Structure formats: structure tokens, C-alpha cells
Amino acid sequence: MSSENLPQTPEQQGRKPRVAVVFGGRSSEHAISVVTAGAVLRSIDRSKYEVLPIGITRDGRWALTVDAPERMAITGRTLPAVEELAESEDGGVVLSVDPANREVVYTEPGAVPKALGEVDVVFPVLHGPYGEDGTLQGLLELSGVPYVGSGVLASAVGQDKDYMKRVFTSFGLPVGPYLTVRPREWEQDPKAARLRITEFAAEHGWPLFVKPARAGSSIGITKVDGPEGLDEAIEEARRHDPKFLVESLLRGREIECGVLEFEDGPRASAPAEIPPVSSHDFYDFEAKYIDSADGIVPAPLTPEQTAEVQRLAVAAFEAASCEGLVRADFFLTEDGTYVINEINTMPGFTPISMYPRMWQESGIAYPELVDLLIRAALRRSTGLR
């Protein structure tokens, strides 16, 4: 494409950059994405940016929503949804896939389409499939619109725990024992798949964790103490993803570390520790978002332990070709070594989320963190890089 066909920058047009905050989505993490969007919308500097909130409903409709962060919070045990925030029940937002035209159009049945202006950068705060997994990133690449966070490959790798672990292993990063059961394997011969799992348990011991391969926020994960609970756990995991993982229990401390990309490369935050939650078997969805389990920031580690987890977090970021931001989750095992559990390429940004808390401890307040991510996205071009 010739330079004369490229969209003009906001500065050339004499206006502030327009940020589209895209949230919600079709995954089981829909509500957490809405909560994250509320926090981001509350913190974007409106003196520097124009903001366009776009919600994706549970059935996949792109909706123009109200800019009302106060309506995007968890109230008691009630979770928010895009449908409650949409300007209309049937209006839709359309993003052009022509890189020379970044204009967003709003349509309603029987009405003339309404141009909402050009979008300069997208802040996609979707979690899980159909948003965090490279699908939205691919659309934005086709559209030529810069966006916050990792590209197509890193987003897909970061979403699929099977391939994530394969990538980490190939780069020499420490990964715990696991096995993957693929959809065809389970559908064609579930008896053989169960046998493989029980043999894995015989080698590594009970309890095991059964989890969807491509889900987050601890949704669909079950701790299984013995063979009698296995089928129910598999059914729950497959309710969220036909592909699932079985992992052995790693005894140790849960340590998290944030990575943020600066102009001179990625840097790691102060780490955090997730202490055991007495009312929960493990750090599940309710412990994270409903009962507000508190992480310890900074984690009580030795300087050597802190330096090592920061090194490994950046190494994981680089191994998966990530961009923008990542939260890396580890176990500090009883023998003093780290094992990487997973990375999140779009970690939660809720008020109680660990990623912003770790960067707060590292000297970067929430509004500054949001601004750094937007500015980094504006600097980065789409396409091969």
C-alpha cells in the first residue's frame, strides 16, 4: 500500500486519538471482560483520548454501549453483561476491513447507517475464546487498526494451554507434568482416554486438575481427588472446551509476575503471591472475583527468588512472541525451583486484579499503565513485525 493511501494520523487531522474499548464477547469470561472494561474506561485520560465503548454480546453482536463504568461492576454475586449496556437491542457496529478506511459505522434496522468516526487504536479487553485467542487480533490486522496487546500467534498460543506448554518446553522453560486429551480422541475412544489419564495419575499421583485447554479465570477447572470424580470433571471441562488438559498437583507457592513492554523491551514487575484460600480448594473463579481473595504484593521472596521469577516471566513473554503485556503464573515448588503454569496475554484489569496491583507496587499507577499500553499500541504497526 502506498503512503498516500494510509489513514492520516489524529495529529494530521487535528484531533485526539480515538480509542475503541472492545469488551464482552462470546466466551464464558464475558462478565469479567465487562468488569475489566469498566476499570479501563474509568482510567483513560479523556483530555488525551476520545473513547468509543463497543461491547460484544454473548451471541456475537457488536453493540454501541453506554460509557458508564459504574454499571460494569460485579454487584454482590450478580455479574454484568453487554446486553444491559447496549444502546439498542438490535443495533450493530461494523468495523471496515479496508486498511485505508478505519471508520466505524453504526447500523439499525430501517435506519440510515451512522458514521462514528475513525478508530486509531483498539483496546481489546476480551478474555478467552473469540477475543483473546487471536481471532479479534486477526480481524484488526485485516482492518489495519493498531491494538493493545499481543498479535495473532502469541494470542493463540497464550490461549491454548497445550501449545503454550509445548512452546515453553521447546525454549527450555520449566513446565509441570500434564497430558492433553483432544476432541477426536475423547469422542472416538473415551475408554482409552480414561486409561491414559489413570496411568498418568498412577505415575504422578492424585489429586489431579482437569481443565479446559482454552479458557481462563479458572472457569471449568476441577480438582479431582480420585478416579470416582474423573468423569464429572471431564464433563465440566468439556462444557467449556472439547479439548482438555490433565495436570498433576504441584506442591508449592503460587507466584505471579507481570511483564510490560517499554520502548527498550519488556520488563518484569514486582511479583505477587496468591496465598491458599481456606474456603476454596484452589484459586478458582469465585475466589478470584466473588470472594475477593487477596494476593500479597510484593511477594515475600528473597532477592534471588524475585530476580529468577522476573527472568522467567520475561523469557516466557519472549518465547511466545508476546507484545504489550502478559501476566505469568508460576509455582515455587518445595525444592525451591520455579515451574511456569501459564501466561495470560490479556490479564484481568479489574480493581482487584493482580496485574495492575503488581505494577502499582513497581511504581506505575493504573491510569499510567493504561496510557503506556495505548501509546505502545499507537507506535506499533499492524502486519508482519
Side-chain angles (χ1 to χ4, degrees):
M1 181 187 298
S2 64
S3 59
E4 63 265 22
N5 292 328
L6 290 171
Q8 287 186 317
T9 66
E11 292 75 16
Q12 290 171 328
Q13 298 178 25
R15 61 173 177 82
K16 294 181 287 189
R18 184 173 292 114
V19 181
V21 179
V22 180
F23 62 98
R26 294 161 55 190
S27 83
S28 53
E29 297 178 78
H30 178 99
I32 300 308
S33 175
V34 176
V35 176
T36 298
V40 170
L41 287 168
R42 192 178 296 113
S43 300
I44 290 179
D45 187 346
R46 305 304 177 97
S47 69
K48 294 173 64 174
Y49 304 106
E50 294 180 19
V51 177
L52 180 65
I54 299 174
I56 301 178
T57 63
R58 294 178 190 274
D59 62 4
R61 176 172 63 93
W62 287 46
L64 185 64
T65 69
V66 295
D67 187 359
E70 68 280 359
R71 292 176 54 188
M72 300 180 180
I74 297 174
T75 306
R77 305 184 88 81
T78 302
L79 303 176
V82 166
E83 288 80 356
E84 301 161 359
L85 303 163
E87 295 279 10
S88 77
E89 292 184 359
D90 47 16
V93 173
V94 178
L95 178 66
S96 170
V97 292
D98 178 359
N101 177 17
R102 293 178 179 173
E103 193 158 84
V104 172
V105 176
Y106 178 69
T107 62
E108 286 191 85
V112 176
K114 177 184 177 183
L116 300 179
E118 291 187 358
V119 166
D120 302 295
V121 63
V122 169
F123 201 132
V125 292
L126 294 111
H127 303 306
Y130 312 110
E132 189 184 353
D133 59 348
T135 50
L136 177 64
Q137 290 74 16
L139 173 63
L140 296 173
E141 291 287 349
L142 288 173
S143 302
V145 180
Y147 52 92
V148 170
S150 289
V152 175
L153 173 66
S155 297
V157 168
Q159 188 63 45
D160 190 316
K161 297 176 178 62
D162 175 24
Y163 283 96
M164 180 197 307
K165 292 176 186 291
R166 292 171 185 266
V167 168
F168 290 158
T169 300
S170 72
F171 277 82
L173 296 173
V175 171
Y178 77 100
L179 65 82
T180 302
V181 179
R182 298 171 184 273
R184 189 178 296 112
E185 177 185 1
W186 180 259
E187 291 157 8
Q188 292 183 349
D189 196 346
K191 184 177 179 180
R194 282 192 199 91
L195 177 61
R196 198 156 68 90
I197 295 170
T198 55
E199 289 174 346
F200 178 85
E203 180 180 358
H204 298 287
W206 299 93
L208 301 175
F209 287 90
V210 179
K211 60 177 64 175
R214 294 161 291 194
S217 295
S218 298
I219 291 173
I221 300 178
T222 305
K223 182 182 178 184
V224 184
D225 293 315
E228 63 282 351
L230 189 57
D231 283 354
E232 185 179 351
I234 292 171
E235 183 179 340
E236 172 61 15
R238 282 178 52 80
R239 196 164 66 84
H240 300 277
D241 188 344
K243 177 180 175 182
F244 65 93
L245 269 68
V246 177
E247 296 177 349
S248 66
L249 173 68
L250 292 173
R251 302 188 184 280
R253 299 160 62 186
E254 291 191 48
I255 306 295
E256 297 184 348
C257 190
V259 180
L260 181 63
E261 187 176 18
F262 293 82
E263 289 192 61
D264 60 350
R267 302 179 207 167
S269 70
E273 179 168 4
I274 308 300
V277 184
S278 59
S279 57
H280 298 264
D281 266 354
F282 61 98
Y283 194 42
D284 61 7
F285 179 88
E286 290 217 347
K288 287 179 178 179
Y289 300 111
I290 305 297
D291 296 337
S292 302
D294 286 330
I296 303 169
V297 187
L301 300 170
T302 66
E304 293 77 17
Q305 289 172 329
T306 296
E308 177 63 3
V309 76
Q310 290 174 326
R311 182 190 72 80
L312 289 169
V314 172
F317 182 97
E318 298 282 37
S321 298
C322 295
E323 295 169 288
L325 72 164
V326 150
R327 193 194 73 231
D329 301 344
F330 298 86
F331 290 101
L332 179 55
T333 61
E334 293 175 339
D335 66 3
T337 60
Y338 282 106
V339 173
I340 185 165
N341 183 36
E342 64 180 42
I343 58 171
N344 283 265
T345 56
M346 185 48 70
F349 264 81
T350 68
I352 61 170
S353 293
M354 298 309 300
Y355 186 85
R357 288 184 59 193
M358 289 187 286
W359 281 107
Q360 174 77 42
E361 178 65 28
S362 306
I364 299 178
Y366 193 108
E368 184 184 358
L369 181 59
V370 170
D371 187 64
L372 282 169
L373 289 167
I374 293 172
R375 285 194 283 128
L378 284 167
R379 286 195 306 268
R380 199 164 54 230
S381 63
T382 55
L384 299 177
R385 54 189 184 273

